[in-house]
Amino acid sequence: MDTRSSFQLGLAICIFSVTYSAKAKKCDPGFYLDSKRNCTDDNECGDNESTSSARCGAHTDCYNTQGSYYCTCKKGFSNQLGKTNFTSRMNCHEINECYQKPPVCGPNTICHNTMGSFYCLCKKGFITRLGLTNFTDGSAGCIDINECVTDICGLNAECTNTFGSFKCTCKKGFTPGERTFTNKTKTGCQNVDECLNVMERCGPNANCVDALGSFNCSCKNGFVSTGEATFTDKTKIQCKALESLRPRSSSFQDVNTFVGQSIKSLFKFENRNSEEFHRLISNFLNIIEKYSIKAARNLSHEEIKNFSTDQFDVIIQAIRNNTIPKGRRAKLATANNIMDIDWNSVAGKESFDVAAAALISIKQLDCLMGANISDSADNETKLELISEVVTATVTNTDKENLAGNVILTFKHKKYNNQTTKCVYWDSLASVWSTHGCMLQHSNATHTVCTCTHLSSFAVLMALYEIKGPHIYNLDMITIVGIILSLVCLFISILTFTLCRSIKSIRTTIHTHLCLSLFLAELLFLIGISRTENKTGCAIVAGFLHYLFLTSFAWMLLEGVQLYLMVVKVFNAKSLQLKYMCLFGYGFPLLVVGISAAAYAQGYGTKEYCWLDLKSGFIWAFLIPVSLIILVNAGFFIITVWRLVDKFSSLNPDMNELKKIRAFTITAVAQLCLLGCMWIFGILHFQENTIAMTYIFTIINSLQGVFIFTLHCLFNKQVRDEYAKILVSICHMKKASKYSEFSTSSTQGLKSTHETGM
């Protein structure tokens, strides 16, 4: 075989071998023979979702494996066979997790299914521990919301938290539209007026006062609570008549409780001048006296016992077995008061097993008891209690006829150097009386009284009555001052009437002013204290009202005249006399007439013949006087302002301006004088202190002197006229002496010739 044939044969053998080998190699399922004739895994799931869905079905996930694959339903889906993994194509349907057992969301939640998933929400009234809005992890859990930490129920309501919710209920004393509610904007809690039925709430003899959400009961006048002063439970506390109220026992603690209850009840009385109030006061004092003596009867021989609270002080002492200490008196003292009494007055005339005395000082009773006094001479005197009310009592039943006087020493609670009176409480007449009691001694701090009987005692002070050395001084100042004023006013009237050099409209006004004041001062001197005859006193008061108003009216006319002279037209025509008289005397007459017609009882009182202060009738004088002072002050201010302006002008008439300036100064001084006098007068009649009395008396009694000084002595023309009169009088005296000397000389010469000597 040649070489060529051998090559061809070898090539043929290779081709055959390759062909055979190719036909002979095969890969396992799930693999494919690649270009290198290697078996490579076949990815049945493909590279996209569509390939996966085509292989496995809808809502599936395809997972390739070595040489194979498997399918699973996506999360939230399952197949009909319930297989987890599968290779045959089948569709997966959506799983509703919200129906699974156990619940996927946990308690107090709401499950919401979604396509292939779910989410959880807390029910209303719950919140997740982490504060999430929604969640899928059931372990997060929902806990209850406490809505009551906020003002969810509104005012006057109480919130009660419940599991997953809350409820509102109105507080006691309030009522809603519904019994319970959760919407405060629709249903609020309104106050209940519990006092619509007083008897049901508070019981008999009680007043009911409604309060926000509650009510308070208090006893009516004449009744006292058996417990607290105000109460809400009528089953525990009732209102009993004060007259029937008694201490539970004679122990001082129970008596103190009784005193406190009684005082509180008495303080509620509005009309403390009523018979009922006075009757309760008397009953209260009798009970205090009775229980104090009852406690004293339990003491041993000569034992002393005292008890003190913020309500009262009490001290008691007893003697026993008909044994009276010789030469000794029972002397009992509380913090502010002392009783000194003979033991025979304590024991009485009969033999005794026990004789006791008690002194009780009641600390607040003086604020309650009026100072009306039975003595006819003092019916209208303004009085005031200045000591504690004390009850002095003994076992002796005959307290009106004691073996000796009882001496009581009181410490003053206030004092202003006025007259004091020793008085006792007359329970029958319900007034203070001085009968059987005498003032032994009194100073700025204490008053000592001597009484012939026992009762409840106190010290009264006269507020509007001035006694002692001051009364003599004031009387002398008034008499001397007013007489001096009358003389000065009379001289002023003569001066203004007779001095031709000063004749003017101003002197006419001054004449009428002085005449009014002269008559007013004269009537004041002789009639202000003439209170014996009520009608006569009222007439005096009416004339004083008229005359003082007249003086102020003429002062107003002087202000008007100055205004016309300076402001209106310089050197203008003066006011006409008839119009001035019409106003100066007519205006006061009109005021007095209207006042008398409106309230005639306002003229004259028991103390003085003047306008009544208590009823406010004094304003019939004060209002017109105040108006006149204000108007006059306005005129004077304008006048002074214009005077300053004229003094600063280029060509002032200096003589005339200086004259008007002097007129203005005296007029202003006059107004200030009389205005201040009545300011002090008001203070005097209202307060009547020593200082105010002296000031008013001095100014009132010397106002005529002041007028004379202002308008006469300070006036150069008047002084010149007085000088001329004095010179004329001196010349007349000298002429008289010269005439007597001439006559005696002539007679002497004649006798010489006749006798030859």
Side-chain angles (χ1 to χ4, degrees):
M1 181 176 291
D2 59 12
T3 303
R4 184 176 179 179
S5 298
S6 298
F7 174 78
Q8 290 178 344
L9 178 62
L11 179 64
I13 291 171
C14 287
I15 294 172
F16 174 82
S17 297
V18 170
T19 305
Y20 178 82
S21 297
K23 289 182 180 179
K25 191 172 185 178
K26 184 177 180 181
C27 293
D28 292 334
F31 295 88
Y32 68 92
L33 191 65
D34 60 12
S35 60
K36 295 181 179 181
R37 297 192 62 80
N38 293 322
C39 289
T40 302
D41 178 62
D42 185 11
N43 185 2
E44 294 88 352
C45 296
D47 296 327
N48 52 55
E49 182 74 21
S50 62
T51 304
S52 177
S53 297
R55 173 73 65 177
C56 294
H59 308 302
T60 61
D61 288 322
C62 181
Y63 295 93
N64 185 57
T65 62
Q66 192 71 22
S68 184
Y69 72 96
Y70 67 90
C71 302
T72 62
C73 291
K74 289 186 175 182
K75 186 179 180 180
F77 294 85
S78 68
N79 55 46
Q80 294 177 349
L81 299 177
K83 293 182 177 182
T84 303
N85 299 327
F86 55 92
T87 54
S88 60
R89 188 180 188 280
M90 61 180 66
N91 293 329
C92 290
H93 61 271
E94 197 265 336
I95 299 173
N96 189 344
E97 295 87 350
C98 295
Y99 289 115
Q100 291 182 359
K101 301 293 183 180
V104 293
C105 292
N108 309 316
T109 59
I110 298 173
C111 181
H112 291 270
N113 187 57
T114 60
M115 184 60 70
S117 185
F118 69 98
Y119 65 92
C120 304
L121 296 176
C122 290
K123 291 181 179 180
K124 184 179 180 182
F126 295 87
I127 190 171
T128 62
R129 292 185 178 90
L130 302 178
L132 301 174
T133 304
N134 55 66
F135 58 94
T136 57
D137 184 2
S139 63
C142 291
I143 57 175
D144 176 56
I145 299 173
N146 187 358
E147 295 88 350
C148 295
V149 297
T150 62
D151 183 26
I152 196 167
C153 292
L155 295 174
N156 309 316
E158 293 178 343
C159 179
T160 303
N161 187 55
T162 59
F163 196 67
S165 184
F166 68 98
K167 64 178 180 179
C168 302
T169 55
C170 288
K171 293 179 180 178
K172 185 179 180 180
F174 296 88
T175 182
E178 305 169 6
R179 183 173 296 277
T180 60
F181 58 93
T182 55
N183 190 339
K184 68 177 181 180
T185 60
K186 292 183 179 180
T187 305
C189 291
Q190 306 298 324
N191 179 50
V192 176
D193 188 355
E194 294 91 346
C195 295
L196 292 176
N197 191 332
V198 180
M199 181 67 72
E200 179 182 342
R201 289 292 182 183
C202 299
N205 310 316
N207 295 317
C208 182
V209 178
D210 184 53
L212 191 63
S214 183
F215 66 97
N216 287 309
C217 302
S218 59
C219 296
K220 294 180 179 179
N221 286 348
F223 297 87
V224 66
S225 168
T226 56
E228 297 296 327
T230 59
F231 58 93
T232 56
D233 190 349
K234 67 176 183 179
T235 61
K236 295 181 179 179
I237 299 175
Q238 294 85 37
C239 292
K240 292 187 177 181
L242 186 58
E243 293 175 331
S244 64
L245 191 66
R246 296 289 186 275
R248 294 179 182 177
S249 69
S250 59
S251 70
F252 288 133
Q253 288 80 4
D254 287 339
V255 173
N256 182 56
T257 301
F258 163 75
V259 172
Q261 292 174 337
S262 300
I263 293 293
K264 287 179 182 178
S265 179
L266 292 170
F267 262 113
K268 293 191 297 183
F269 264 83
E270 295 181 0
N271 184 8
R272 296 179 185 173
N273 291 321
S274 65
E275 292 184 5
E276 179 187 8
F277 181 77
H278 291 151
R279 176 170 47 80
L280 292 174
I281 289 284
S282 300
N283 182 69
F284 168 73
L285 293 173
N286 289 334
I287 293 173
I288 291 291
E289 178 180 333
K290 175 183 176 182
Y291 277 80
S292 297
I293 284 295
K294 186 176 180 181
R297 289 180 179 275
N298 296 322
L299 300 179
S300 58
H301 184 60
E302 296 193 33
E303 180 184 358
I304 297 177
K305 191 173 184 179
N306 56 57
F307 184 78
S308 180
T309 69
D310 57 350
Q311 305 286 349
F312 74 109
D313 296 328
V314 60
I315 181 168
I316 54 179
Q317 185 177 12
I319 56 175
R320 287 189 170 275
N321 303 322
N322 204 31
T323 303
I324 297 178
K326 294 182 179 180
R328 288 174 51 192
R329 295 170 63 88
K331 193 169 186 178
L332 304 179
T334 60
N336 298 316
N337 308 289
I338 302 172
M339 176 178 72
D340 188 346
I341 188 171
D342 192 321
W343 276 114
N344 290 303
S345 297
V346 176
K349 298 177 181 179
E350 299 178 359
S351 60
F352 60 88
D353 176 53
V354 59
L359 179 66
I360 309 107
S361 300
I362 306 169
K363 297 179 180 179
Q364 300 182 60
L365 200 56
D366 56 293
C367 300
L368 287 167
M369 300 179 72
N372 53 320
I373 190 167
S374 63
D375 304 65
S376 60
D378 291 321
N379 271 344
E380 297 297 327
T381 303
K382 180 66 175 179
L383 300 168
E384 182 181 10
L385 286 170
I386 61 168
S387 73
E388 293 176 346
V389 176
V390 302
T391 294
T393 186
V394 294
T395 50
N396 182 5
T397 56
D398 190 4
K399 297 180 178 63
E400 298 296 324
N401 300 293
L402 301 176
N405 292 341
V406 58
I407 301 173
L408 297 162
T409 302
F410 298 88
K411 183 179 180 181
H412 299 157
K413 299 179 81 171
K414 62 178 72 174
Y415 188 73
N416 63 358
N417 203 27
Q418 304 289 56
T419 299
T420 55
K421 295 178 179 291
C422 297
V423 293
Y424 81 97
W425 181 251
D426 186 344
S427 58
L428 296 178
S430 296
V431 291
W432 292 107
S433 174
T434 59
H435 177 70
C437 290
M438 294 180 60
L439 177 67
Q440 184 172 324
H441 172 70
S442 183
N443 57 27
T445 60
H446 291 81
T447 292
V448 179
C449 303
T450 301
C451 297
T452 60
H453 55 82
L454 292 177
S455 179
S456 295
F457 302 91
V459 177
L460 294 177
M461 180 179 65
L463 295 182
Y464 290 126
E465 185 181 17
I466 300 174
K467 297 291 184 184
H470 297 290
I471 192 66
Y472 176 78
N473 297 337
L474 293 171
D475 286 342
M476 290 304 298
I477 291 172
T478 301
I479 294 172
V480 174
I482 290 182
I483 291 174
L484 185 59
S485 286
L486 290 173
V487 172
C488 290
L489 288 170
F490 183 73
I491 295 173
S492 299
I493 293 171
L494 291 179
T495 301
F496 298 142
T497 304
L498 301 178
C499 290
R500 295 182 180 180
S501 60
I502 61 171
K503 280 285 186 179
S504 67
I505 191 65
R506 287 189 71 252
T507 56
T508 302
I509 293 174
H510 292 159
T511 302
H512 289 279
L513 172 62
C514 290
L515 180 61
S516 300
L517 284 176
F518 180 87
L519 295 175
E521 292 280 2
L522 181 62
L523 187 58
F524 187 92
L525 179 64
I526 64 176
I528 189 68
S529 59
R530 300 289 183 178
T531 59
E532 301 87 3
N533 186 297
K534 188 174 181 180
T535 303
C537 183
I539 294 172
V540 170
F543 272 106
L544 284 173
H545 187 194
Y546 174 74
L547 291 171
F548 280 121
L549 281 180
T550 301
S551 63
F552 275 96
W554 282 102
M555 277 197 296
L556 176 60
L557 289 171
E558 183 173 14
V560 174
Q561 176 62 23
L562 285 172
Y563 173 80
L564 293 176
M565 291 173 65
V566 178
V567 178
K568 199 69 177 173
V569 180
F570 200 75
N571 288 328
K573 185 177 180 181
S574 301
L575 292 171
Q576 294 186 23
L577 180 60
K578 61 180 180 180
Y579 295 121
M580 290 193 299
C581 290
L582 183 62
F583 178 80
Y585 295 110
F587 170 70
L589 184 62
L590 179 64
V591 172
V592 173
I594 294 174
S595 302
Y599 189 67
Q601 302 93 314
Y603 286 106
T605 68
K606 292 291 183 180
E607 292 85 13
Y608 39 76
C609 297
W610 181 234
L611 281 63
D612 184 29
L613 296 173
K614 297 177 183 177
S615 64
F617 189 66
I618 187 66
W619 290 104
F621 175 75
L622 295 180
I623 290 176
V625 165
S626 300
L627 291 175
I628 289 173
I629 291 174
L630 288 174
V631 173
N632 240 4
F635 280 137
F636 291 153
I637 290 170
I638 297 172
T639 300
V640 171
W641 174 69
R642 289 300 301 271
L643 276 175
V644 172
D645 185 56
K646 289 183 181 295
F647 270 111
S648 62
S649 63
L650 294 176
N651 298 306
D653 186 349
M654 297 302 295
N655 291 332
E656 189 66 25
L657 285 173
K658 288 180 179 180
K659 183 189 300 183
I660 296 176
R661 181 180 63 182
F663 293 166
T664 305
I665 292 172
T666 56
V668 172
Q670 174 183 274
L671 180 65
C672 292
L673 172 69
L674 293 182
C676 289
M677 182 196 78
W678 282 108
I679 291 174
F680 286 115
I682 295 167
L683 294 174
H684 162 65
F685 283 115
Q686 288 185 337
E687 301 295 336
N688 203 25
T689 61
I690 295 299
M692 289 299 106
T693 303
Y694 271 102
I695 292 171
F696 175 72
T697 302
I698 292 171
I699 296 177
N700 180 54
S701 58
L702 294 178
Q703 59 183 321
V705 178
F706 296 143
I707 295 293
F708 173 71
T709 303
L710 284 173
H711 295 303
C712 295
L713 297 184
F714 284 180
N715 190 317
K716 187 176 182 304
Q717 287 179 296
V718 175
R719 292 200 303 271
D720 292 341
E721 289 293 333
Y722 288 163
K724 290 179 183 179
I725 294 172
L726 290 175
V727 169
S728 299
I729 293 173
C730 290
H731 282 311
M732 289 175 62
K733 287 184 177 180
K734 287 181 180 180
S736 175
K737 289 181 179 179
Y738 179 76
S739 175
E740 291 176 359
F741 176 74
S742 299
T743 304
S744 61
S745 299
T746 304
Q747 291 176 350
L749 289 173
K750 184 177 179 181
S751 62
T752 301
H753 286 298
E754 291 176 350
T755 58
M757 296 180 64

